[in-house]
Amino acid sequence: FLLPSRVHACPKSTQTVGRKDRNSNIGIKMEYEIRIYNEEKYVEIVTRGVADKDGSLSMAKTIKETMQQHRMTRALIDHHNIESVSGEIMEIYNRPRLFRIMGVVLNIKIAEIIKPDHVKHFRFFETVCINQGIRLSIFLENTPALEWLLK
């Protein structure tokens, strides 16, 4: 089941929204926290747990809603704390189409920071997104990801 989002007061112009997706049979599948940077006009998402289809789609919906609410088009997704990723090739291939069905707009720009172990999975996802008109790039470190996102 989905726990409701929590908004916490943060220093200066940031807000934090937390979310956990749980399955009572296997524990935490995916957990993420969203920070809103009003001055720089982007959202940062820090993830933990296991990245799977359901958790990724739930996170994408929350990101979309948060970005629309704050009129932002840039997202920095930090997957450094993801334990593992799952997804069949066709599932990953169809994910951008599902994003559009959910209402994720094409003018967004997404930088994803990943572990070296997950490059193969995310490189394929990056290629599929680019081929379907979504500006997404993967990085192994925060600084180049943020530089690309903000330019």
Side-chain angles (χ1 to χ4, degrees), residues 32-58:
Y32 54 92
E33 181 177 288
I34 299 176
R35 297 182 186 122
I36 302 158
Y37 293 88
N38 291 312
E39 287 181 23
E40 297 89 352
K41 297 197 180 296
Y42 76 94
V43 295
E44 177 183 34
I45 300 87
V46 179
T47 61
R48 287 180 290 286
V50 177
D52 64 351
K53 177 185 173 186
D54 292 339
S56 296
L57 291 176
S58 172

Side-chain angles (χ1 to χ4, degrees), residues 62-78:
T62 304
I63 292 169
K64 176 200 76 141
E65 291 167 354
T66 303
M67 291 174 76
Q68 285 178 336
Q69 179 183 4
H70 294 274
R71 294 189 167 108
M72 295 180 181
T73 58
R74 296 180 289 194
L76 178 70
I77 304 175
D78 186 345

Side-chain angles (χ1 to χ4, degrees), residues 112-128:
E112 294 200 0
I113 307 164
I114 61 168
K115 289 180 177 180
D117 295 349
H118 301 151
V119 166
K120 183 178 178 182
H121 175 90
F122 282 100
R123 184 67 67 199
F124 178 67
F125 179 61
E126 175 188 52
T127 301
V128 170

